[in-house]
Amino acid sequence: MPATTLKIFRFQPDATEEPQPYYQDFDLEHDDKITLLDAILRLQNEQDGTLAIRYSCRSAICGSCACRADGRTVLACMQQVEDLKARSGESTVQVDPIGNFRPIKDLIVDLTPFWEKFRSVKPYLIPDGPPPEKERIVAKEDMQRIVKEANCILCAACYSECNSLAADPDFVGPAAFAWGYRFAADVRDGERKERAKLYSGPHGVWDCTRCMFCNERCPKGVDPRDAIEKLGGIAFSEGVSWADGGARHAKAFLFSMRTGGKLNETLLVPFTNPLKAPLDAPFALRMLSKGKAPSPLPHKVKAHDEVVKLMKNVKETI
Amino acid sequence: MPVRRFAYYPGCVAEFSSKELNATTKALAPLIDVELVPMPKATCCGAGDIAEAKPNLYLTLNVRILSEAEEMGLDIMTICNVCTLNLRRANRLVKEDPKLLEAVNTELVKAGARPYEGGSEVTHLLWYLATEEGLSLLERQGPKGLNGLRVAPYYGCQLLRPSSVMGFEDPDRPQSLERLIVALGGEVADYEAKTKCCGFPIILAREQVALRESHVALSQARDAGADCMVTPCPLCHLAMDAYQRKAEAANATVYNMPVLHLPQLIGLALGIETSVMQFTRHMVPVDRVLAQVGAS
């Protein structure tokens, strides 16, 4: 029977007046297929009844038991302890609460900001006009556009390791935007353009730093970063692409492509941040002195006419 | 060993603002039995920006690049995380979905471009060198070594994640840079944030947020006692090197951390002339690195 040391983050605010987080080691003998959640529940039952974790379904549906195992956010019910040890080569597994949240007790965190941001994207259908007499029929291909995002169980594994959130706690975040896309791209929804406006702007889709942690961590294959990218596409298709510097940054790429084929880096600043650009003159001069401000003329590739034709012909279907 | 030929896709940043990376890669290639064949028709990969604005256009443009390599009968070698992800992602999408490939090819043919048959692969210089075969190529050069230089490996994001597209190594415990550093006679300065984001994609639109991101890796590398940081990505390099003074001001601290492009670190160990590697184009001086390895 395998034996594992579980090094668990403890935080017991009701135990003392000035609670400090600490780690506690628990030794456990267990069968070789035990999940991390079952291991923690056994510790709770057999060794320390004060050990706290949030859980419900135990089968990767409810999204309650996300935590970090050896630094990587997982659903505890979906993760076998022996697989963690095989990956690290160690006999100890460290368990922490999910990141980017305030711990309340042991592995339980305060999810309030997560739910507030979830609500902020209006995660429900807003129909265009009165309901029809019978049901609305949705074609299979229309449903397939949003089927990945509809699988989100709001476990916050993506939120836990989002690098934009770590740097800006007000960033709306990957899960909420996956839901935003799920409704913005729903053919029954009547507020596609309003949603595009709502999701742009400060702390919105253009704040995503593309660290790809959300796609990597999502236990349900939702790929939230891809949803954020698609919301960018919706913003462009709805004409909501001038208001935010992030969208204008993308416009500089399109302009470079049309005029030469390669990125004209010198255009990025005036497109993205025209008002701030003059204030940044000292930095620009330092870049210039190191040869890091390339010619503003287009960088032309061979057969550029093909690129121009593609830009004219290729229709977006987002 | 026979020379391995690649369709060379340096990416826009290495071609223009970070020319030192391109120049060093070209100087390194013959030393590792690689011939880098130019791709005159290749455009920008869109860096995720075109994918974010016009997803179908992103896919078509990237497949056009893959098709040029296929026409040359070669796989693509990149030196940029972002180019690697964009090209590999497009390749995977069309290889997994014949109908999608057909739709993309219809557009390519209509524009006078060559259709793609799914016959090209995309690799990064780091991946080529961090295998047993790659390391033996370096060893054969009899490297003069890094003289115990303490190097902080910095992977950034898009060469590791999503692992379903990248897949070279465990995205949470990457070891390719570490293997190279040790093989070249350096020491690894390990730190947790080596796989975190540098913030570059939003550095123009959200500068303060981005500078808080780069702070995490820069401060940890400094605290790990690193003499320098090395990165396989020129965008990470811009965030960590060109914006380092700004990050210091924004976070009220000092890093004083020289940042090397991957081929520059290898070049130092193999004795490539420092003038060829153009360290003078760096914003943070690399003097202490050159002194440590005995390069002039």
Side-chain angles (χ1 to χ4, degrees), chain A residues 100 162-171, chain B residues 202 208-214 216:
Chain A
N100 289 328
C162 171
N163 281 195
S164 280
L165 266 163
D168 171 18
D170 291 328
F171 177 49
Chain B
I202 55 170
Q208 291 308 306
V209 179
L211 296 177
R212 283 198 289 276
E213 292 191 56
S214 62
V216 181

Side-chain angles (χ1 to χ4, degrees), chain A residues 68 70 72 84 87-88 161 163-164 166-169 200-213 215-217 223 225-226 228-234 236-237 244-247 249-251 253-254 257-258 260-263 265 268-269 272-273 276 280 283 286-287 289-294 299-307 309-311 313-318, chain B residues 10-20 39-58 60-61 64 82 85-86 89 104 107-114 157-158 160-164 170-173 192 195-202 204-210 212-213 237-238 241-246 261 279-284:
Chain A
R68 282 186 298 177
D70 292 335
R72 191 167 53 95
L84 289 167
R87 198 169 168 162
S88 67
E161 288 184 49
N163 281 195
S164 280
D168 171 18
S200 292
H203 319 295
V205 291
W206 305 105
D207 281 67
C208 169
T209 192
R210 305 177 196 164
C211 68
M212 305 288 166
F213 268 110
N215 282 16
E216 190 66 34
R217 294 293 186 248
D223 289 337
R225 163 60 207 168
D226 294 8
I228 293 174
E229 184 181 280
K230 287 183 277 191
L231 283 174
I234 287 177
F236 268 74
S237 77
D244 194 278
H249 191 267
K251 279 187 181 287
F253 276 80
L254 291 169
M257 191 61 74
R258 190 173 299 114
K262 293 195 181 179
L263 174 62
E265 293 163 89
L268 283 170
V269 173
T272 310
N273 225 333
K276 188 169 167 284
D280 240 0
F283 179 67
R286 282 209 303 278
M287 292 284 273
S289 74
K290 296 288 182 182
K292 290 195 180 292
H299 309 302
K300 239 185 185 139
V301 300
K302 272 202 173 160
H304 183 249
D305 59 311
E306 296 173 7
V307 178
K309 283 180 196 153
L310 288 174
M311 293 196 74
N313 294 342
V314 174
K315 298 282 176 282
E316 296 304 325
T317 47
I318 187 89
Chain B
C12 302
V13 172
E15 267 193 273
F16 304 111
S17 68
S18 301
K19 287 189 171 75
E20 69 277 6
M39 302 179 71
K41 289 192 277 188
T43 60
C44 171
C45 69
D49 273 63
I50 290 183
E52 206 164 33
K54 296 188 178 288
N56 289 353
L57 180 65
Y58 147 74
T60 317
L61 290 169
R64 180 176 170 275
V82 175
L85 173 59
N86 278 277
R89 183 182 174 204
V104 169
E107 292 293 351
L108 288 175
V109 170
K110 209 158 75 179
R114 178 187 177 279
C157 302
Q158 299 190 6
L160 297 172
R161 296 179 296 271
S163 56
S164 56
D170 183 338
D172 300 308
R173 296 169 191 276
E192 197 194 330
T195 63
K196 297 265 160 85
C197 188
C198 69
F200 191 76
I202 55 170
L204 291 178
R206 306 286 191 271
E207 186 174 286
Q208 291 308 306
V209 179
R212 283 198 289 276
E213 292 191 56
H237 190 273
L238 282 172
D241 175 66
Y243 280 80
Q244 191 175 130
R245 295 284 173 259
K246 279 196 172 198
H261 297 286
F279 289 111
T280 49
R281 294 175 55 88
H282 287 216
M283 297 283 263
V284 179

Side-chain angles (χ1 to χ4, degrees), chain A residues 71-102:
Chain A
R72 191 167 53 95
T73 305
V74 297
L75 287 184
C77 67
M78 209 175 152
Q79 177 67 58
Q80 291 187 0
V81 172
E82 288 304 295
D83 287 348
L84 289 167
K85 287 157 67 184
R87 198 169 168 162
S88 67
E90 308 278 341
S91 60
T92 297
V93 170
Q94 182 173 319
V95 189
D96 288 271
I98 51 176
N100 289 328
F101 288 103
R102 183 178 64 84

Side-chain angles (χ1 to χ4, degrees), chain A residues 105-152:
Chain A
K105 182 169 180 172
D106 297 342
L107 301 174
I108 297 173
V109 299
D110 178 7
L111 288 165
T112 306
F114 182 73
W115 297 120
E116 280 173 356
K117 289 170 186 176
F118 173 61
R119 280 191 287 273
S120 79
V121 302
K122 300 189 178 178
Y124 38 81
L125 272 179
I126 305 172
D128 190 8
E133 282 183 23
K134 287 189 173 178
E135 72 273 24
R136 291 175 198 265
I137 307 290
V138 180
K140 189 179 171 191
E141 55 270 27
D142 288 331
M143 211 60 212
Q144 277 170 342
R145 284 168 181 271
I146 54 174
V147 75
K148 261 170 73 169
E149 291 76 11
N151 283 332
C152 174

